[in-house]
Amino acid sequence: MEFLRKAAGRPSKLGILPGAFHPPTRAHLALGRAALAEVDEVLFVLPRAFPHKHYEGVGLAERARLVAAATAGEPRFSVAVSEGGLFIEMARECRGAYGAGVELWFVCGRDAAERIVNWDYGRPGVVEEMLEEFGLLVAERDGRYQPPRGLAGRIRHLRVGEDCSGVSATEVRRRIAAGEAWEALVPEAIIDEVRRLYAGRH
């Protein structure tokens, strides 16, 4: 795991917020801020390679710099690039970086939680094994997630104070391509850089 920025101290509970950040949005920061009510530090993670897609357009290094700039105002936010793209791979890299005793909680939306829990891993019991290594903090996204009864102790609802409905990286890119106003969807600190990296490509 390669850190672009690491918060001071050693957390007992670490939130892990993985993503493509194509580009980072206000919703990403809102998720991170909400998670700080549950954990000591939030680590924004970009995988070096995704399991099911590739970096297109704006590359990994440029996106990582955008995330670092967008999160610079919060001392309990860290930013890193992971070698693995699966949650279990990221979790094990975090154990190596933060120590075996840290509690790990992935921060995600309802759609991601459903994919993780319902994925066909090829054999029964894989989800339960993964959730022994980390838990999920799940924010509402087009509805609230209801975990299976046996997993409820490892999957918690995350309350996000800001209204981020309609805020997504996909919507930012769509608006840029359509020539519509998009600036309100991204953190103010990175508007100029997002314009340079994204608007210039259309």
Side-chain angles (χ1 to χ4, degrees):
M1 182 165 278
E2 177 188 349
F3 284 86
L4 281 77
R5 186 177 62 253
K6 196 168 188 298
R10 296 190 69 83
S12 60
K13 294 182 180 180
L14 177 69
I16 306 165
L17 179 48
F21 303 107
H22 186 29
T25 68
R26 287 196 303 104
H28 293 127
L29 293 192
L31 276 176
R33 284 192 289 265
L36 288 176
E38 305 284 340
V39 299
D40 306 311
E41 177 184 329
V42 173
L43 175 64
F44 289 70
V45 180
L46 298 93
R48 201 168 294 284
F50 293 102
H52 309 299
K53 58 183 175 181
H54 304 285
Y55 281 101
E56 294 180 356
V58 176
L60 169 61
E62 294 163 315
R63 295 189 207 182
R65 284 196 297 272
L66 284 173
V67 174
T71 59
E74 172 51 67
R76 292 197 288 159
F77 284 168
S78 298
V79 181
V81 174
S82 64
E83 296 302 318
L86 300 174
F87 276 23
I88 192 67
E89 295 169 337
M90 294 180 201
R92 288 171 180 169
E93 288 183 52
C94 285
R95 289 240 178 265
Y98 286 88
V102 65
E103 272 187 44
L104 302 178
W105 291 88
F106 277 89
V107 182
C108 62
R110 178 194 56 78
D111 49 345
E114 289 179 349
R115 283 197 302 272
I116 293 161
V117 171
N118 298 325
W119 192 263
D120 180 6
Y121 294 97
R123 64 178 176 84
V126 173
V127 172
E128 288 79 3
E129 291 170 15
M130 286 196 304
L131 292 179
E132 289 178 6
E133 296 203 36
F134 59 80
L136 299 178
L137 296 174
V138 184
E140 291 184 17
R141 186 169 182 179
D142 300 323
R144 183 168 176 167
Y145 179 63
Q146 294 296 333
R149 186 172 299 170
L151 303 178
R154 299 296 292 156
I155 302 177
R156 298 180 185 170
H157 176 62
L158 181 63
R159 299 184 188 282
V160 180
E162 298 177 45
D163 179 14
C164 294
S165 54
V167 179
S168 70
T170 301
E171 178 64 9
V172 174
R173 297 195 309 274
R174 186 200 70 75
R175 291 190 186 187
I176 288 173
E180 299 173 9
W182 53 270
E183 290 85 352
L185 304 185
V186 304
E188 187 175 353
I190 62 170
I191 287 174
D192 289 344
E193 191 66 1
V194 170
R195 182 180 291 111
R196 184 183 73 80
L197 290 171
Y198 287 85
R201 295 173 190 262
H202 295 283

